[in-house]
Amino acid sequence: MSRLTKISTLSAAVSMALLGMGTALAADGPIKIGVQAPITGEYAAEGQGIENGVRLIAKQHNDAGGILGRQIEVIVCDDEGKAAQAAICGRKLVNDGVIAVIGTYTSGAALAAAPIYSAANVIQTSDGTSDELTQKGWQTFFRNAPPNSDEAEFVANYFVKVKKYPRIAVLSDHSSYATGLAKATVDAIKKEGGSIVGEDFINAGTQDYSAVLTKLKSKNPDVLFFSGYYTDGGLIRAQMKQLGMNAVFVGGDANQNENFAKIAGDAAAGAVIVNVPAPENLPYPAAKKFLADYTKEFGAPPPSIYTLTNADGFRAVIAAIQDTQSTDTGKLIPWLHNLKEPFGGLTGPFTWDDKGERIGSLMSAFEVQADGSYKTIYPRQLDPRQ
């Protein structure tokens, strides 16, 4: 990494010249695919799941002869879920000659790397849910998961129309993802006619949230929506129980991780999480096979749905290469933006619009059980034909 910060003027000029050549540099040899993800740090479980999913798919294709007669080479960069490290990863992976990057997990990290990939015409598929990611005009960016606005509308409908909660509180951290989701959710709830009785923030990683929870408890909410990450969500759920706060805990999509229940302990049971369906609840045959293959390969199932959404991004890139018979991103990017029919994803059929927004995503609310498993509570059935 350190060499990237000490490039001479001549080396920088050479690098820019090479980038200008695009994928012509990779006409022979392996097809290089990057993975940018938090391999270490507080979101390591998610990052490792993303890496494992990409490596599994690459191995399966390589064992079958590769793509266009070439092997896939996976190059991983650990962004630790942080913006500064993400920018370093972006420059490294571009210099390594990748044609596409799968990841990353956090919106802040995705936003930091996206302009680098855009300038180099390198495809980026990411689970970053910040609406800002598809509003910058980056033609190289493709979102794997529903945006904040979609989730907010689902939550608002669930709270106001389905559950009819009269008093709603919203809690966020200060990340771009969480603040964006919280604002979109509050706006959607108000639009549906719901009543917000309290809004507040935490400093992620603080560990002790009793002060802010006590403040929100005084508002007597029926439900608390937390828009941050599972690392804090599990603690918040546990501390709500300790404080005798009886509001229903509902976590946004970043709470959907196997470690949420481990962190929350006995308090996990009864917590509700909103996301696309949990991996084991996906009704698609391709998803069931992927789960079985993943578990066999790595000895445990994926940590969350984001292993599969990122796998879908990679699978779509492979489909583009096969259909265009090319690794030229000048051909692959238009193909991805103009899918003639929905792509058969592990997480369901989808397309991307001209901004890279995913079109076609199921949302669900599921309840954490005493053993840490999930039970879908709304909608109660998922239609595999969707």
Side-chain angles (χ1 to χ4, degrees):
M1 296 290 183
S2 59
R3 67 184 180 84
L4 294 175
T5 61
K6 301 178 180 178
I7 298 176
S8 66
T9 302
L10 176 61
S11 296
V14 171
S15 295
M16 291 305 293
L18 291 176
L19 290 180
M21 295 174 65
T23 55
L25 291 172
D28 298 308
I31 299 172
K32 295 182 179 181
I33 300 294
V35 171
Q36 179 193 328
I39 307 302
T40 62
E42 60 182 328
Y43 309 126
E46 293 289 359
Q48 291 164 15
I50 294 169
E51 177 185 357
N52 287 344
V54 172
R55 288 197 183 280
L56 173 62
I57 292 170
K59 179 179 183 296
Q60 290 174 335
H61 280 281
N62 287 341
D63 288 348
I67 305 296
L68 306 184
R70 297 160 61 186
Q71 294 285 284
I72 300 170
E73 179 183 349
V74 178
I75 302 174
V76 179
C77 187
D78 177 11
D79 68 14
E80 302 173 16
K82 300 175 181 177
Q85 188 64 27
I88 293 173
C89 280
R91 292 189 291 271
K92 178 187 183 299
L93 291 172
V94 167
N95 287 339
D96 284 341
V98 302
I99 63 167
V101 175
I102 313 303
T104 183
Y105 174 63
T106 67
S107 292
L111 282 163
I116 298 170
Y117 297 134
S118 177
N121 215 36
V122 168
I123 296 165
Q124 176 188 18
T125 75
S126 173
D127 284 326
T129 58
S130 171
D131 290 340
E132 188 178 356
L133 282 160
T134 53
Q135 295 171 355
K136 294 287 190 179
W138 295 316
Q139 287 296 292
T140 50
F141 181 83
F142 297 87
R143 198 195 304 274
N144 293 327
N148 284 342
S149 51
D150 279 9
E151 181 174 343
E153 291 173 5
F154 179 91
V155 171
N157 176 74
Y158 181 62
F159 282 7
V160 180
K161 302 297 185 182
V162 178
K163 300 299 291 186
K164 297 180 169 48
Y165 291 126
R167 302 174 64 82
I168 301 167
V170 176
L171 183 61
S172 176
D173 64 29
H174 294 284
S175 67
S176 58
Y177 152 73
T179 54
L181 177 57
K183 183 182 185 305
T185 302
V186 167
D187 290 346
I189 288 170
K190 290 179 178 178
K191 185 177 179 181
E192 288 281 6
S195 176
I196 302 292
V197 298
E199 295 179 61
D200 219 317
F201 293 87
I202 64 163
N203 291 317
T206 301
Q207 303 293 309
D208 183 359
Y209 305 112
S210 57
V212 69
L213 291 174
T214 298
K215 181 180 175 183
L216 288 173
K217 181 184 177 184
S218 70
K219 306 291 185 180
N220 195 30
D222 298 287
V223 61
L224 171 66
F225 179 72
F226 175 59
S227 66
Y229 293 88
Y230 68 92
T231 45
D232 297 303
L235 289 172
I236 289 169
R237 170 63 174 174
Q239 290 169 26
M240 286 173 66
K241 287 289 190 180
Q242 292 168 1
L243 292 169
M245 188 174 179
N246 295 321
V248 176
F249 173 94
V250 177
D253 60 284
N255 288 274
Q256 200 264 296
N257 183 282
E258 61 181 359
N259 286 325
F260 175 90
K262 295 177 182 177
I263 295 168
D266 292 342
V272 176
I273 297 174
V274 170
N275 199 359
V276 292
E280 62 269 24
N281 292 339
L282 291 169
Y284 314 107
K288 296 182 185 302
K289 183 179 186 305
F290 178 85
L291 287 171
D293 291 346
Y294 185 102
T295 302
K296 180 179 179 181
E297 183 74 16
F298 301 108
S304 79
I305 193 65
Y306 295 117
T307 299
L308 283 78
T309 53
N310 280 279
D312 271 347
F314 183 30
R315 292 172 70 250
V317 170
I318 291 173
I321 294 170
Q322 292 173 322
D323 196 56
T324 62
Q325 291 290 289
S326 173
T327 58
D328 181 354
T329 56
K331 296 179 180 179
L332 302 180
I333 291 169
W335 189 95
L336 294 168
H337 277 297
N338 298 286
L339 287 166
K340 294 180 176 60
E341 58 184 43
F343 179 74
L346 303 174
T347 54
F350 68 91
T351 59
W352 281 297
D353 67 12
D354 59 351
K355 295 181 179 179
E357 199 68 84
R358 174 172 169 150
I359 308 300
S361 296
L362 296 170
M363 295 293 293
S364 63
F366 42 87
E367 184 182 71
V368 182
Q369 305 299 291
D371 63 357
S373 64
Y374 301 122
K375 176 184 178 182
T376 301
I377 56 176
Y378 181 78
R380 295 190 180 281
Q381 291 186 338
L382 298 174
D383 185 352
R385 297 169 297 177
Q386 291 181 335

